[in-house]
Amino acid sequence: MKSLPLLVLLVVSFPRPAPASKGPFPLYMVNDFSWQNCDNEDDPVLITSLEVEPVPINIPGKLTVGLEIKTAVPITSPLQVVVALDKEVAPGFWLRIPCIKKIGSCTYQDICETIDSFIPPGEPCPEPLHTYGLPCHCPFKKGTYSLPKTTFEIPPVKLPPSLGNGNYRTEIILRNSTTNLGCFKIYASLKEK
């Protein structure tokens, strides 16, 4: 099996770590993490397995992720990612978080270009992809892609005031120029410690 670094795709939908500074960072805890495919699993790109340990997730802290994805079509550039991020402001009432400084409900026109900006073509893929001999650039061939359980260090983050304690739902849609390729929903509760 090969690996598609979907984690890279998911990371763009969440706030980036703040740059290192001498000031204190808040501590967060993510509870009630869950996920699902959208559209009755009719899309050509599906997450077949996503394991996240431990839950609750401590930020900063260690996170272990195992992932398997199946794609019935090649994934090529341009690959648009549309993120809708909602926060529950009252029981059953959700408010869409706008896209501000590439955080929130944003549309990323070509995630393949974004990946290339972080990992220039021709450079070795980062860990753990390099260790497993896994690709990290578009295009990705159709097939089954898996990332064995791997532990990552989550750095400290500073969130904008619109984010913070609360329940969140995120919908991530992958699409090419003509059709939706995949749709994933993530639910989580965030609490500052």
Side-chain angles (χ1 to χ4, degrees):
M1 289 186 184
K2 299 173 184 174
S3 175
L4 171 65
L6 181 69
L7 293 176
V8 174
L9 303 177
L10 297 177
V11 164
V12 299
S13 68
F14 296 102
R16 298 210 190 294
S21 73
K22 295 182 181 181
F25 286 92
L27 304 175
Y28 296 100
M29 184 169 57
V30 177
N31 293 305
D32 303 325
F33 176 87
S34 64
W35 67 276
Q36 67 182 52
N37 292 296
C38 315
D39 303 326
N40 298 317
E41 300 190 357
D42 291 333
D43 289 325
V45 179
L46 297 172
I47 296 176
T48 55
S49 173
L50 174 58
E51 298 176 69
V52 176
E53 300 171 345
V55 175
I57 302 164
N58 291 307
I59 304 172
K62 293 185 185 291
L63 178 67
T64 300
V65 177
L67 174 69
E68 182 177 272
I69 298 169
K70 290 186 180 177
T71 177
V73 296
I75 297 174
T76 60
S77 181
L79 178 63
Q80 187 180 68
V81 176
V82 180
V83 177
L85 176 62
D86 299 323
K87 181 177 182 178
E88 189 175 32
V89 293
F93 183 72
W94 295 85
L95 179 66
R96 179 71 34 102
I97 303 295
C99 184
I100 300 173
K101 296 182 180 179
K102 298 185 180 182
I103 298 172
S105 300
C106 303
T107 297
Y108 304 91
Q109 293 302 324
D110 188 0
I111 197 66
C112 294
E113 284 184 2
T114 302
I115 294 169
D116 287 349
S117 71
F118 286 106
I119 311 163
E123 287 192 12
C125 292
E127 295 300 337
L129 302 179
H130 180 73
T131 295
Y132 298 125
L134 304 171
C136 58
H137 292 283
C138 298
F140 297 98
K141 297 178 182 179
K142 65 180 181 178
T144 300
Y145 294 79
S146 67
L147 178 68
K149 284 187 178 181
T150 304
T151 301
F152 298 91
E153 189 72 35
I154 303 174
V157 296
K158 286 187 179 177
L159 298 176
S162 60
L163 302 177
N165 291 344
N167 297 323
Y168 292 88
R169 65 183 183 192
T170 304
E171 182 178 80
I172 302 166
I173 298 173
L174 308 178
R175 63 169 50 134
N176 62 20
S177 58
T178 59
T179 188
N180 284 0
L181 299 175
C183 177
F184 318 106
K185 293 182 180 180
I186 299 170
Y187 303 89
S189 295
L190 181 67
K191 182 177 182 183
E192 189 171 345
K193 291 183 175 181

